[in-house]
Amino acid sequence: GAAMAAAVRDVEIDPEGTFKYILVRLQRPGGEERRDIVRGTKAAEFHNHIFEKVNPEMEKLGYECKCLGGGKIDHNSKDKKIRVFGLSTGYGKADHSVTVEILKKVYTDYEITWSDDKK
């Protein structure tokens, strides 16, 4: 229910640095309810490492996961700036504009931009 959904944060990313991220769609099997979440960390060498961690967590909560693509996030907490760019070789490029909208919900006082640049 709602409590379980609330347990899933819209965004979980590292507080600083440049790292890979993925955009993941959660859906209740056979249900209408769906939401997109952003996950990114320096700990992941490849995009699928992030998905392999998120997927079982979400399945436990009763969601089906689908990776909508990936990219990179440059998080500068000092200047309160986030840049979304790049792509995932395995999953393709996420819709960075969607990612930015999700990030804005959490980092309300940040300047958040995106581009299709590789670097």
Side-chain angles (χ1 to χ4, degrees):
M4 255 158 64
V8 179
R9 290 198 294 241
D10 288 321
V11 178
E12 279 182 25
I13 60 172
D14 285 1
E16 188 65 46
T18 304
F19 43 85
K20 292 183 167 66
Y21 93 89
I22 57 172
L23 186 60
V24 180
R25 172 153 294 166
L26 306 181
Q27 201 157 359
R28 293 279 184 213
E32 286 302 298
E33 188 198 334
R34 65 160 63 135
R35 57 188 284 209
D36 296 344
I37 60 171
V38 174
R39 293 292 182 270
T41 175
K42 273 194 278 249
E45 196 184 340
F46 300 105
H47 286 90
N48 61 303
H49 291 172
I50 308 172
F51 189 72
E52 281 159 15
K53 189 176 169 291
V54 174
N55 199 29
E57 287 173 9
M58 296 305 148
E59 282 181 342
K60 268 190 224 133
L61 296 173
Y63 287 107
E64 287 172 350
C65 283
K66 182 178 167 216
C67 184
L68 301 178
K72 281 186 170 175
I73 284 175
D74 182 20
H75 188 174
N76 181 337
S77 54
K78 189 168 65 75
D79 296 342
K80 298 199 168 186
K81 284 184 178 173
I82 294 177
R83 190 168 68 96
V84 185
F85 64 102
L87 52 83
S88 159
T89 350
Y91 296 119
K93 185 176 82 69
D95 185 338
H96 296 326
S97 64
V98 171
T99 302
V100 165
E101 288 312 309
I102 298 170
L103 288 168
K104 279 179 178 168
K105 289 198 278 188
V106 179
Y107 296 94
T108 48
D109 56 345
Y110 268 60
E111 182 191 319
I112 306 175
T113 56
W114 69 272
S115 76
D116 288 329
D117 299 346
K118 299 285 188 287
K119 290 193 181 346

